[in-house]
């Protein structure tokens, strides 16, 4: 199969069509319209075989996760997604693999009403790079740098599930309950970008980040960018039933604090805006939990349990270790 027939067969044919795209796949570059008054938000993430997924991973899941992790970054900016492009490196034109990958891509792009507008296809080690673009009114973008001492710290969903799933997949952990096992594997392979939460937090949250490398590691980015510290209550970290039933409380806290790949949002809200939060997030049907508060002591993260200081050795996902 030639490059062009791969593109036509698997990507062009099934691409959803948006009105704001004047030229998508098939020209030298994509041509599209940014709505008046909106800022263009752009993000890229690469998933490499053997590093971000196992070589024999399901191509359907690889495609969906590659898109989802990028949409999660848009969500963390408060943006609404519009377009993606795909740079795909594959060792060979394996038609079965490509068909399943394309189906995963097609499903997620249709679900979020976004369009695949271009990309590149090359022969090489398996790796998938997605660039996602979306819009947000410039003054409403959720930045890491706008948190303030006194803000309350919230997270969506439950924490640590994907890390638990990865340890289960690697055989480091037994999860006897089948529902729990399939839940944590789903959390690992099919993360949900919290797009509706992100856009609903415009004008409510001061700062926001998505948790890709672990709670402590990602909170540290906000603390650094905003010159704040934080007190986090370990006993308030939201845990799934699967987590509570599969490991003890100490291990659960470790996963919730340190494990990556959850793609939940962490955001900060000041006292005055707290009342608005419930109204803003009710329609999203996503649970959210207050886990602590920001302080004025730059970069100092204090963990507490039953309000007493505790220590946990947490590293988070390290890209270069
Ligand atoms: P060029 O050589 O001009 O860069 P290509 O041959 O790489 O063009 O690509 C032809 C068209 O197909 C372009 O519009 C490009 O954006 C699109 N394209 C290539 N690979 C992909 C892909 N994996 N997914 C989506 N579109 C792709
Ligand atoms: Mg090219």
């Amino acid at each position: 199969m030639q490059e062009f027939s791969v593109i036509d067969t698997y990507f062009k044919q099934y691409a959803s069509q948006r009105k704001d795209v004047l030229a998508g796949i098939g020209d030298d570059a994509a041509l599209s319209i940014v709505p008046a008054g909106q800022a263009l938000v752009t993000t890229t993430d690469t998933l490499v075989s053997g590093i971000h997924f196992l070589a024999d991973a399901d191509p359907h899941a690889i495609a969906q996760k590659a898109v989802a992790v990028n949409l999660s970054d848009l969500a963390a900016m408060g943006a609404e997604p519009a377009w993606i492009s795909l740079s795909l490196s594959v060792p060979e034109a394996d038609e079965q693999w490509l068909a399943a990958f394309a189906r995963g891509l097609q499903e997620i792009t249709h679900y979020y009403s976004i369009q695949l507008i271009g990309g590149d296809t090359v022969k090489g080690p398996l790796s998938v790079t997605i660039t996602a673009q979306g819009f947000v009114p410039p003054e409403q973008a959720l930045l890491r740098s706008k948190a303030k001492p006194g803000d309350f710290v919230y997270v969506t969903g439950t924490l640590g599930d994907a890390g638990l799933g990865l340890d289960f997949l690697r055989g480091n952990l037994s999860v006897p309950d089948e529902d729990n096992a399939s839940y944590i594997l789903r959390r690992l392979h099919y993360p949900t970008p919290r797009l509706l939460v992100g856009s609903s937090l415009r004008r409510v949250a001061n700062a926001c980040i998505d948790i890709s490398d672990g709670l402590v590691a990602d909170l540290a980015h906000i603390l650094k960018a905003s010159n704040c510290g934080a007190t986090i209550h370990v006993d308030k970290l939201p845990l799934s039933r699967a987590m509570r039933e599969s490991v003890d409380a100490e291990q659960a806290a470790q996963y919730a604090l340190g494990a990556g790949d959850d793609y939940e949002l962490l955001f900060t809200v000041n006292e005055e805006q707290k009342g608005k939060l419930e109204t803003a997030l009710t329609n999203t049907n996503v649970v959210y939990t207050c886990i602590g508060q920001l302080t004025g002591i730059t970069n100092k993260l204090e963990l507490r349990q039953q309000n007493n200081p505790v220590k946990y050795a947490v590293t988070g996902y390290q890209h270069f270790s």
Side-chain angles (χ1 to χ4, degrees):
M1 224 178 181
Q2 293 303 303
E3 181 194 345
F4 294 113
S5 66
V6 168
I7 297 166
D8 281 347
T9 309
Y10 297 109
F11 301 120
K12 188 171 177 188
Q13 224 194 122
Y14 296 113
S16 50
Q17 306 292 327
R18 284 173 57 105
K19 291 205 188 77
D20 51 13
V21 179
L22 307 182
I25 296 173
D27 216 311
D28 294 312
L31 189 66
S32 47
I33 307 278
V34 178
Q38 304 267 333
L40 180 66
V41 186
T42 304
T43 183
T44 297
D45 260 304
T46 299
L47 302 187
V48 178
S49 173
I51 296 180
H52 303 98
F53 57 87
L54 302 174
D56 62 354
D58 178 0
H60 179 272
I62 296 171
Q64 296 220 343
K65 185 162 179 174
V67 176
V69 302
N70 278 278
L71 298 185
S72 174
D73 280 321
L74 294 185
M77 296 297 288
E80 173 200 333
W83 314 309
I84 59 168
S85 56
L86 162 68
S87 181
L88 181 64
S89 170
V90 282
E92 60 189 328
D94 175 339
E95 300 196 11
Q96 233 182 327
W97 193 96
L98 285 165
F101 181 87
R103 192 168 57 79
L105 203 68
Q106 193 195 331
E107 284 172 9
I108 194 166
T109 51
H110 279 81
Y111 184 80
Y112 289 109
S113 302
I114 57 179
Q115 182 173 341
L116 176 65
I117 57 170
D120 201 11
T121 307
V122 298
K123 186 177 156 87
L126 182 57
S127 116
V128 181
T129 299
I130 296 275
T131 298
Q133 295 181 296
F135 318 127
V136 67
E139 70 287 355
Q140 294 175 18
L142 301 173
L143 303 177
R144 297 176 179 187
S145 55
K146 294 283 163 73
K148 295 274 180 299
D151 282 3
F152 294 92
V153 179
Y154 292 84
V155 290
T156 60
T158 56
L159 300 178
D161 297 327
L164 188 68
L166 183 61
D167 275 345
F168 173 64
L169 188 70
R170 285 174 170 160
N172 298 339
L173 180 89
S174 74
V175 177
D177 183 281
E178 269 181 43
D179 289 343
N180 287 344
S182 70
Y183 171 81
I184 57 177
L185 289 179
R186 234 197 122 69
R187 291 276 288 162
L188 175 67
H189 294 311
Y190 291 97
T192 309
R194 300 297 189 191
L195 285 159
L196 210 51
V197 173
S199 58
S200 304
L201 288 173
R202 296 173 186 175
R203 286 186 284 199
V204 178
N206 279 346
C208 186
I209 191 168
D210 68 324
I211 303 178
S212 52
D213 296 339
L215 170 67
V216 167
D218 288 313
L219 174 60
H221 294 309
I222 286 193
L223 300 185
K224 185 159 184 242
S226 296
N227 294 313
C228 289
T231 303
I232 297 297
H233 299 278
V234 175
D235 36 347
K236 293 202 177 138
L237 300 178
L239 304 175
S240 64
R241 194 194 71 177
M243 177 69 76
R244 284 181 276 112
E245 291 182 356
S246 306
V247 294
D248 65 32
E250 164 105 21
Q251 285 173 303
Q254 287 283 359
Y255 279 112
L257 289 166
D261 255 8
D262 280 325
Y263 303 97
E264 296 296 345
L265 294 182
L266 180 153
F267 56 95
T268 81
V269 177
N270 68 23
E271 180 84 57
E272 297 84 82
Q273 298 291 82
K274 255 179 104 176
K276 269 201 196 171
L277 191 57
E278 189 156 333
T279 322
L281 296 192
T282 303
N283 295 328
T284 66
N285 276 323
V286 176
V287 297
Y288 60 97
T289 311
C290 183
I291 60 167
Q293 205 171 2
L294 297 184
T295 66
I297 316 165
T298 303
N299 288 334
K300 180 167 169 55
L301 172 62
E302 184 176 75
L303 299 177
R304 290 197 187 164
Q305 206 144 14
Q306 268 99 49
N307 219 11
N308 297 313
V310 279
K311 289 239 178 301
Y312 276 91
V314 178
T315 43
Y317 181 76
Q318 307 258 324
H319 295 265
F320 290 101
S321 69

